[in-house]
């Protein structure tokens, strides 16, 4: 399915449609800034929405986990999933309580997850996940062994049917509320790395890598 076919009937944003974004590159930028998604799927009529990490490689999102986890077990049967990523950019304080809002960038991807069983693609996907969260880390650490790889499932979700929604800017009040005497505006929110804490068992000679010192999610 190409971007020109977006939105589909299932991915058309209904409320505040002017905030909808169906551009693939814009969707990729949001996916690349986040690394936590919520995966929604239904088993015997019961919906589950499970938070997990992900990585993007081209037009695919990869998720991984213990081969024994319910999410991975169910998903590898090729059932339909909804993958959602949300970046929260601010609290929007209006004059009226009903016009309060949030600034955000969010993505919804609908599709079928497929088990990655080709050994090379599996390793590449795991590296993608690692690089997506912390670029540079994969090359600095012990590589996965056969036992670890066997115990881990990797799933691929193609980014074929998708939407994004973006809210930016100040509060929008009803005209008669602009004179109401209260503070209004935006409290910006961002994900910031704190000061790294070395492991107490760290060899004193081990220097902190640049990617740890300068960790940021900003794109
Ligand atoms: C941080 C945050 C806070 C929010 N708070 C509220 C709230 O308090 N109340 C509220 O009603 N809404 C809230 N929203 C918006 C909410 O996500 C939906 O957009 C909203 O419920 C309207 O959905 P709809 O009826 O237009 O579309 P639906 O019929 O629910 O969905 C149709 C399709 O539109 C697309 N879509 C819908 N919403 C999004 C989205 N956010 N991002 C990407 N694609 C989307 C999907 O492809 C979906 O399949 C919030 C969103 C975010 C990110």
């Amino acid at each position: 399915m190409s971007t020109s076919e977006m939105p589909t009937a299932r991915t058309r944003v209904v409320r505040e449609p002017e905030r909808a974004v169906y551009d693939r590159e814009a969707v990729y930028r949001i996916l690349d800034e986040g690394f936590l998604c919520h995966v929604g799927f239904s088993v015997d009529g019961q919906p589950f929405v499970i938070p997990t990490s992900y990585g993007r490689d081209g037009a695919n999102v990869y998720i991984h986990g213990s081969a024994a986890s319910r999410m991975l077990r169910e998903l590898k049967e090729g059932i339909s999933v909804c993958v959602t990523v949300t970046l929260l950019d601010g609290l929007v304080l209006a004059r009226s309580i009903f016009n309060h809002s949030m600034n955000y960038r969010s993505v919804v991807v609908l599709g079928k997850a497929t088990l990655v069983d080709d050994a090379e693609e599996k390793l590449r996907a795991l590296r993608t996940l690692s690089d997506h969260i912390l670029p540079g880390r994969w090359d600095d650490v012990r590589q996965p062994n056969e036992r670890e790889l066997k115990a881990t499932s990797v799933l691929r979700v193609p980014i074929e049917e998708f939407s994004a929604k973006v809210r930016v800017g100040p509060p929008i009040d009803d005209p008669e509320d602009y004179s109401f005497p209260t503070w209004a505006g935006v409290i910006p929110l961002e994900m910031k790395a704190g000061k790294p804490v070395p492991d107490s068992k760290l060899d004193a000679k081990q220097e902190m890598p640049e990617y740890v010192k300068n960790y940021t999610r900003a794109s």
Side-chain angles (χ1 to χ4, degrees):
M1 202 175 287
S2 77
T3 303
S4 57
E5 293 169 70
M6 290 299 122
T8 63
R10 303 195 302 177
T11 56
R12 183 182 300 280
V13 174
V14 182
R15 281 200 57 242
E16 322 269 19
E18 71 288 356
R19 294 183 184 159
V21 179
Y22 303 108
D23 171 62
R24 183 174 280 277
E25 292 306 317
V27 164
Y28 286 175
R29 280 193 295 278
I30 296 170
L31 291 177
D32 291 351
E33 192 171 322
F35 60 77
L36 294 178
C37 65
H38 287 82
V39 180
F41 56 98
S42 175
V43 180
D44 298 330
Q46 171 62 54
F48 295 87
V49 179
I50 304 294
T52 191
S53 55
Y54 69 91
R56 180 183 76 85
D57 187 10
N60 291 307
V61 166
Y62 288 97
I63 56 177
H64 80 313
S66 158
S69 94
R70 194 231 319 263
M71 176 178 78
L72 276 292
R73 249 185 10 245
E74 296 291 343
L75 264 46
K76 69 186 183 193
E77 299 305 321
I79 63 174
S80 298
V81 295
C82 175
V83 178
T84 302
V85 173
T86 307
L87 305 175
L88 193 51
D89 295 327
L91 298 181
V92 180
L93 279 60
R95 288 146 187 94
S96 116
I97 194 67
F98 262 69
N99 284 324
H100 281 63
S101 189
M102 292 182 198
N103 282 337
Y104 60 79
R105 291 161 288 155
S106 56
V107 164
V108 170
V109 177
L110 303 179
K112 276 199 187 343
T114 318
L115 183 69
V116 174
D117 45 20
D118 174 72
E120 228 172 83
E121 188 187 355
K122 186 171 177 178
L123 198 61
R124 208 172 48 243
L126 289 169
R127 186 189 175 113
T128 294
L129 263 143
S130 174
D131 282 346
H132 184 88
I133 298 167
L134 186 46
R137 190 61 182 162
W138 182 273
D139 289 328
D140 266 2
V141 292
R142 177 180 68 72
Q143 299 299 292
N145 60 34
E146 281 304 312
R147 180 183 50 79
E148 289 167 330
L149 287 171
K150 212 170 159 213
T152 303
S153 289
V154 175
L155 300 176
R156 182 195 323 104
V157 181
I159 309 169
E160 283 179 356
E161 198 177 353
F162 55 82
S163 61
K165 195 170 174 183
V166 177
R167 190 204 189 277
V168 290
I172 303 168
D173 268 305
D174 297 341
E176 61 275 21
D177 287 335
Y178 277 90
S179 58
F180 191 90
T182 189
W183 192 89
V186 174
I187 304 174
L189 296 174
E190 60 183 305
M191 193 201 263
K192 259 196 181 156
K195 194 165 174 255
V197 181
D199 181 25
S200 60
K201 293 180 182 155
L202 192 69
D203 181 335
K205 294 194 291 293
Q206 196 68 56
E207 282 189 24
M208 191 182 289
E210 290 302 310
Y211 59 75
V212 173
K213 272 188 216 159
N214 304 321
Y215 188 68
T216 175
R217 287 316 293 176
S219 51

